[in-house]
């Protein structure tokens, strides 16, 4: 276990490369970390001044909590369950009976140690559980442990007939990182689970190891996930167990997962679409066990599974479906660059039928699919269980092993506290009302490139463009918020960057993690994040666990009742554009959600809103760009726009159309702007999920584009007519789309605005699925 754990830790460290410029207080670049071997992780030692700006009592509400301050011992002997749950729950936080909130955030920190627990650690809404990244703490389940899982993100209510604390599709803002979860003290026969992880968007699991029984016939499992609408997880290891991972969720992205010595590495019960990127399976009986064949909403199984860059060793069966396809769609599968070592059956069916032979030696599946494939403007699909065209993978998107590049969430584990600078220590208030623009700009101007900039928890209000220079490494606390408002962002005819990341033509390191970008409405002219920086080394410019959240939260002025469903969206402008990757930029985006709120997180938690944001993510970048576990929802014209873009990897991307469309239809309440190459629309059209023009070498490896409403009515779902078209590309772009699922849309793919592939031939459960399409 130690080998794998420290391999993950090494990959999580972030070492700066050459930068474009240094701040005025810098004599030299930051360089490597200077923490001494015995030092604790910097997060434990740094001064904690974070506040919850819109809490009812921000002066006393505690954001940062060290579990040892609440009585946890971490000695492996004392039962620390009550102390840990007290650290999580204290301060009138959002637990059972609370749907959602943004005003009680918390970072719950675990110093190095071994924490004995006898019942679940119950994770409240808007919580980060963070262990020491230098030596991750162990959560040790006692031999008599009782409950759903060691970490439970959505507890079941006792005697509640299946009711849980939270609505699974809205269980946002959760992060767990840097832990070893040990189930080995529990009997092998016990139904032991490491994490009950029923979550949605804005969630992540990072750098986690789960150790389970390796006894024959044991009942341990690393993750149990039965529902939700996620999400991202990465850099995770499961050792032993009946199941390494047992999962069911609308959609999810997994990057860099390893399962050793489990009976079944990964069991997939249901989904609309999952992407697994970089999978390692060693010494299991089955790699992927997949429930399949459910072709109705009432009988959903695993509808679409995409696996890229896998290495599987000494495992008799790589992938096994529960139901044979028998020549027609019964669950879509895409395999790309799967390396098998002593895996006799590559793809099989329960009962023993072999669909694709493996090898007792070594073999590689280059590109293989099961399901319906299409090409060009043909509306006629072909069902295949065979090799499918392999995508072009530009070298800039690949690592040295030929896999799609991935980079772990920066945690700065080897850095000393003296290498950080706090924005609050430099005078920023973060109270949601004070104009912090000048103070924040001064911090960047002085310290970018030689200090890691720590945004203490808070909401930092800015009234003009905040420029983040190339060379910056910045990290938030409990998703610190940068919120723009005022006259600078008031005109859609004069769009203005709220946060400008790198000057045009700049290059270097640019790392942003644990930050939320938001607006205070009305802000029809806000380009929330304009991204200009080009990487100086592969993946050096990126965003991790950071979100653009527009409206639906305290302080935004974009909540109910003023912006409730049915209100003219022109009364509630949230942004001109969410994220703009300009032509000279490159970007690594992991776990990035660009969300125009469809409901009020700080109201009753479910009242729908009618807000207006013109565009979601616009990329004009020549690359390389990686969008791993990203989503963009409810923007008026499109969720993802790729215009003149090159060298992009997107997997899994997820979108939803505005609930009020097509009344008004796009671009209303905005007007098209030729400077941004906006699409034109017919009167009946709703927003594009994916809009591609004049682009090349675009690889989409997993996508879910959903349209749930026609002017707030869901009657259209029965006929998949909530909108007519949702994915559009011109005939000249080079793009490969694998594992595409749509909901509520008549045509799944359009070329030049003309619907090509009708969903009616691809019904695959609640969603409809295309296994492969290219022009």
């Amino acid at each position: 276990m130690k080998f794998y754990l420290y391999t993950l830790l090494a990959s999580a460290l972030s070492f700066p490369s050459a930068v474009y410029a240094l701040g005025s207080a810098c004599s030299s670049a930051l360089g490597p970390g200077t923490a001494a071997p015995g030092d604790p992780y910097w997060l434990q030692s740094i001064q904690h001044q974070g506040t919850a700006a819109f809490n009812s009592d921000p002066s006393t509400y505690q954001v940062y909590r060290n579990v040892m301050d609440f009585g946890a011992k971490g000695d492996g002997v004392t039962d620390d369950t009550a102390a840990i749950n007290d650290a999580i729950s204290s301060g009138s936080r959002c637990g059972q009976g609370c749907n959602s909130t943004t005003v009680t955030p918390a970072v719950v920190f675990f110093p190095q140690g071994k924490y004995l627990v006898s019942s679940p650690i119950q994770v409240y809404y808007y919580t980060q559980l963070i262990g020491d990244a230098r030596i991750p703490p162990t959560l040790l389940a006692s031999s008599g442990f009782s409950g759903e899982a060691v970490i439970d993100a959505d507890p079941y209510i006792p005697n509640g007939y299946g009711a849980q604390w939270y609505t699974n599709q809205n269980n946002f803002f959760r992060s767990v990182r840097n832990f070893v979860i040990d189930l080995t003290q529990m009997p092998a026969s016990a139904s032991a689970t490491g994490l009950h992880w029923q979550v949605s968007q804005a969630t992540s699991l990072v750098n986690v190891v789960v150790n389970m029984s390796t006894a024959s016939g044991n009942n341990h499992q690393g993750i149990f996930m039965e529902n939700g609408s996620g999400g991202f997880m990465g850099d995770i290891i499961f050792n032993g167990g009946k199941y390494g991972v047992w999962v069911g969720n609308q959609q999810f992205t997994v990057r860099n997962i390893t399962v050793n010595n489990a009976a079944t590495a990964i069991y997939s019960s249901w989904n609309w679409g999952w992407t697994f990127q970089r999978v390692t399976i060693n010494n299991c009986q089955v790699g992927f066990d997949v429930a399949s064949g459910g072709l109705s909403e009432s009988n959903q199984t695993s509808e679409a599974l995409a696996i890229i860059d896998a290495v599987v060793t000494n495992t008799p069966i790589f992938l096994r479906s529960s139901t044979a396809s028998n020549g027609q769609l019964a669950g879509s599968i895409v395999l790309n660059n799967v390396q098998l070592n002593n895996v006799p059956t590559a793809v099989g069916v329960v009962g023993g039928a072999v669909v694709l032979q493996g090898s007792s030696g070594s073999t590689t599946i280059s590109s293989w699919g099961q399901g319906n494939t299409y090409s060009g403007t043909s509306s006629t699909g072909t069902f295949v269980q065979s090799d499918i065209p392999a995508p072009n993978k530009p070298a800039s998107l690949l690592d040295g092993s030929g896999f799609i590049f991935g980079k772990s969430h920066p945690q700065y584990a080897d850095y000393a506290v003296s290498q950080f600078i706090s924005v609050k220590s430099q005078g920023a208030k973060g109270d949601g009302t004070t104009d912090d623009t000048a103070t924040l700009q001064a911090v960047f101007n002085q310290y970018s490139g030689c200090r890691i900039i720590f945004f203490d928890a808070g909401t930092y209000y800015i009234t003009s463009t905040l420029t983040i220079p190339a060379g910056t490494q910045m990290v938030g606390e409990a998703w610190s918020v940068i919120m723009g408002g005022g006259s600078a962002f008031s005109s859609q005819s004069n769009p203005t960057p709220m946060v400008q990341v790198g000057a045009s033509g700049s290059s270097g390191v640019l790392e942003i993690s644990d930050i939320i970008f938001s607006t205070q409405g009305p802000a029809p002219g806000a380009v929330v994040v304009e991204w200009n920086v080009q990487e100086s080394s592969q993946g050096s410019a990126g965003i991790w666990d950071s979100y653009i959240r527009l409206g639906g939260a305290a302080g935004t002025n974009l909540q109910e009742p003023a912006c409730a469903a049915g209100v003219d969206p022109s009364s509630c402008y949230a942004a001109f554009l969410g994220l703009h990757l300009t032509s000279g930029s490159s970007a690594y985006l992991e776990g990035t959600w660009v969300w125009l709120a469809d409901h009020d997180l700080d109201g009753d938690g479910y009242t729908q809103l009618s807000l207006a944001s013109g565009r979601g993510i616009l990329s004009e970048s020549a690359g390389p760009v990686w969008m791993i576990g990203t989503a963009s929802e409810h923007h008026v014209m499109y969720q993802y726009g790729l215009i003149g873009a090159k060298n992009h990897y997107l997997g899994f991307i997820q979108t939803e159309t505005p609930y009020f469309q097509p009344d008004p239809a796009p671009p209303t309440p905005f007007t098209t702007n030729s400077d941004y190459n906006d699409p034109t629309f017919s009167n009946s059209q709703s927003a594009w999920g994916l809009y591609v023009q004049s682009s090349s070498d675009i690889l989409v490896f997993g996508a879910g584009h959903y349209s749930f409403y026609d002017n707030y009515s869901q009657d259209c779902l029965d006929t998949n007519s909530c909108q007519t078209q949702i994915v559009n590309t011109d005939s000249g772009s080079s793009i490969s789309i694998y594992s595409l699922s749509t909901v509520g849309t008549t045509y799944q793919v359009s070329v030049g605005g003309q619907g090509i592939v009708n969903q009616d031939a691809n019904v695959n459960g609640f969603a409809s699925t295309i296994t492969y399409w290219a022009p």
Side-chain angles (χ1 to χ4, degrees):
M1 180 275 293
K2 287 183 178 179
F3 169 77
Y4 290 105
L5 177 59
Y6 294 133
T7 297
L8 281 185
L9 288 178
S11 69
L13 302 180
S14 177
F15 296 100
S17 307
V19 298
Y20 181 72
L22 292 175
S24 61
C26 300
S27 58
S28 61
L30 179 63
T34 61
D39 287 350
Y41 184 42
W42 65 266
L43 185 60
Q44 179 177 345
S45 303
I46 200 168
Q47 181 183 6
H48 288 283
Q49 308 170 83
T51 56
F54 298 102
N55 187 272
S56 59
D57 189 358
S59 63
T60 62
Y61 179 79
Q62 184 177 359
V63 175
Y64 174 83
R65 298 116 185 270
N66 184 321
V67 295
M68 288 190 171
D69 294 337
F70 289 78
K73 301 300 182 184
D75 57 13
V77 177
T78 304
D79 188 337
D80 285 327
T81 312
I84 293 169
N85 281 328
D86 189 28
I88 293 171
S89 63
S90 67
S92 300
R93 302 196 63 233
C94 186
Q96 182 179 347
C98 169
N99 287 317
S100 62
T101 184
T102 67
V103 302
T104 57
V107 170
V108 182
F109 181 74
F110 292 69
Q112 299 170 15
K114 184 174 289 188
Y115 298 85
L116 182 70
V117 293
S118 57
S119 61
I121 296 170
Q122 296 174 321
V123 187
Y124 279 42
Y125 198 92
Y126 218 108
T127 300
Q128 295 181 332
L129 299 186
I130 301 179
D132 187 302
R134 294 172 64 77
I135 302 180
T138 296
L139 304 176
L140 176 64
S142 68
S143 60
F145 182 94
S146 177
E148 187 73 39
V150 172
I151 294 177
D152 193 344
D154 194 1
Y156 283 90
I157 299 171
N159 302 314
Y161 303 98
Q164 293 173 269
W165 282 16
Y166 305 107
T167 302
N168 63 76
Q169 300 95 334
N170 297 331
N171 200 8
F172 307 141
F173 301 109
R174 309 304 188 85
S175 182
V176 173
R177 65 186 77 141
N178 310 327
F179 288 98
V180 177
I181 301 174
D182 192 336
L183 306 179
T184 60
Q185 301 302 306
M186 297 183 68
S189 60
S191 297
T193 301
L195 299 110
H196 177 219
W197 197 242
Q198 183 174 261
V199 294
S200 304
Q201 290 86 351
T203 60
S204 67
L205 292 176
V206 175
N207 197 25
V208 174
V209 176
V210 183
N211 292 325
M212 296 164 279
S213 173
T214 56
S216 177
N218 77 79
N219 287 316
H220 292 192
Q221 58 187 356
I223 290 178
F224 174 56
M225 178 195 298
E226 73 276 40
N227 216 322
S229 177
F232 169 80
M233 64 177 78
D235 301 325
I236 308 179
I237 296 168
F238 301 93
N239 296 312
K242 179 179 181 179
Y243 301 109
V245 182
W246 196 108
V247 291
N249 198 288
Q250 290 177 11
Q251 69 282 316
F252 226 92
T253 301
V254 178
R255 181 192 57 74
N256 193 25
I257 184 174
T258 297
V259 184
N260 303 307
N261 303 306
T264 294
I266 298 165
Y267 178 78
S268 177
S269 64
W270 78 277
N271 64 56
W272 301 344
W274 272 67
T275 292
F276 287 88
Q277 176 191 336
R278 191 66 183 94
V279 179
T280 302
I281 297 172
N282 296 310
N283 304 310
C284 298
Q285 294 304 304
V286 179
F288 284 80
D289 237 338
V290 181
S292 61
L295 297 180
S296 67
E297 180 181 355
S298 61
N299 185 29
Q300 292 184 99
T301 51
S302 293
E303 299 183 21
L305 191 65
I307 305 167
I308 188 169
D309 296 341
V311 179
V312 186
T313 302
N314 297 332
T315 298
I317 302 171
F318 169 51
L319 188 148
R320 181 173 65 184
S321 297
S322 65
T323 304
S325 284
N326 295 324
Q328 61 186 357
L329 183 64
S332 172
I333 299 169
V334 176
L335 307 178
N336 185 272
N337 189 29
V338 175
Q339 302 174 21
L340 305 178
N341 306 303
N342 188 25
V343 180
T345 299
V347 180
V349 181
V350 170
V354 176
V355 176
L356 179 65
Q357 289 285 351
S359 172
S360 58
S362 297
T363 189
T364 297
I365 302 170
S366 174
S367 183
W368 187 91
Q370 172 181 293
N372 294 339
T373 65
Y374 296 81
S375 64
T377 57
S378 173
S379 60
T380 302
T382 302
F383 175 81
V384 302
Q385 280 185 313
S386 62
D387 290 344
I388 57 177
N392 182 50
K393 297 178 184 176
S396 63
L397 294 175
L398 305 179
D399 64 17
S401 300
F403 300 126
I404 296 292
F405 174 80
K407 184 174 180 180
S408 299
H409 183 124
Q411 300 209 63
Y412 312 109
D414 279 352
Y415 286 80
V417 172
S418 61
Q419 295 179 284
F420 289 77
I421 191 77
S422 155
V423 296
K424 284 200 171 180
S425 292
Q426 296 298 304
K429 300 301 183 184
D431 59 14
T433 57
T434 301
D435 187 347
D436 281 322
T437 315
T439 303
L440 294 179
Q441 193 63 66
V443 173
F444 286 122
N445 292 347
Q446 292 172 20
Y447 295 104
S448 286
C450 65
R451 296 282 187 91
I452 299 165
I453 297 174
F454 178 58
F455 272 73
D456 318 73
T459 297
Y460 297 87
Y461 182 63
I462 61 173
T463 57
S464 59
T465 301
L466 180 67
T467 301
I468 301 176
T472 300
Q473 293 163 287
M474 56 185 283
V475 57
E477 181 184 30
W479 296 293
S480 308
V481 179
I482 299 175
M483 181 173 70
S487 60
F489 313 115
S490 64
S491 174
Q492 65 165 294
S493 63
N494 182 32
T496 301
M498 187 189 95
V499 176
Q500 188 176 65
V501 182
S504 179
S506 66
S507 66
V509 172
L510 201 303
E511 294 177 345
I512 298 175
S513 55
D514 298 301
I515 298 286
I516 286 175
F517 301 94
S518 182
T519 59
Q520 186 177 87
V527 177
V528 182
V529 176
E530 180 186 272
W531 188 276
N532 296 308
V533 67
Q534 172 68 223
E535 63 182 21
S536 54
S537 61
Q538 193 172 41
S540 68
I543 304 175
W544 293 261
D545 282 283
S546 295
Y547 315 113
I548 295 173
R549 185 185 68 205
L550 303 172
T556 64
N557 295 343
L558 298 168
Q559 297 181 270
E560 56 95 8
C563 298
V567 170
D568 185 341
S570 65
S571 301
C572 296
Y573 281 109
F576 178 89
L577 166 61
L579 173 62
H580 183 195
L581 307 180
T582 61
S583 59
S585 69
S586 68
Y588 182 91
L589 311 179
E590 185 171 280
T592 304
W593 186 32
V594 181
W595 186 53
L596 178 68
D598 59 85
H599 65 282
D600 193 341
L601 296 174
D602 286 307
D604 54 23
Y606 57 84
T607 294
Q608 292 179 335
L609 298 176
S610 180
L611 308 179
S613 167
R615 306 140 186 92
I617 300 174
L618 168 61
S619 180
E620 299 175 295
S621 167
V625 169
W626 301 266
M627 297 188 189
I628 298 172
T630 66
S632 179
E633 298 183 295
H634 310 131
H635 306 277
V636 165
M637 297 189 202
Y638 55 77
Q639 315 313 317
Y640 290 81
L642 307 183
I643 301 173
K646 301 177 182 178
N647 305 320
H648 281 46
Y649 169 81
L650 291 74
F652 185 99
I653 61 171
Q654 181 255 323
T655 71
E656 287 185 16
T657 301
Y659 295 170
F660 58 74
Q661 286 183 344
D663 184 17
T668 305
F670 291 86
T671 57
T672 55
N673 187 320
S674 60
D675 290 342
Y676 289 82
N677 296 296
D678 287 337
T680 56
F681 296 90
S682 66
N683 289 333
S684 60
Q685 177 64 26
S686 294
W688 295 112
L690 175 64
Y691 177 75
V692 181
Q693 300 290 297
S694 304
S695 298
S696 59
D697 290 330
I698 308 299
L699 169 56
V700 179
F701 203 79
H705 298 295
Y706 313 141
S707 187
F708 293 120
Y709 294 88
D710 180 338
N711 192 20
Y712 295 105
S713 169
Q714 292 194 302
D715 293 344
C716 55
L717 286 173
D718 293 336
T719 54
N720 280 300
S721 60
C722 299
Q723 70 184 78
T724 306
Q725 305 174 64
I726 202 162
V727 173
N728 184 67
T729 180
D730 60 359
S731 58
S733 292
S734 62
I735 180 172
S736 299
I737 301 178
Y738 297 85
S739 195
L740 166 65
S741 295
T742 63
V743 170
T745 303
T746 305
Y747 287 98
Q748 297 182 268
V749 173
S750 301
V751 176
Q754 181 67 43
I756 301 298
V757 179
N758 194 302
Q759 60 79 38
D760 59 6
N762 303 309
V763 175
N764 192 27
F766 184 65
S768 300
T769 306
I770 294 172
T771 296
Y772 167 75
W773 179 86

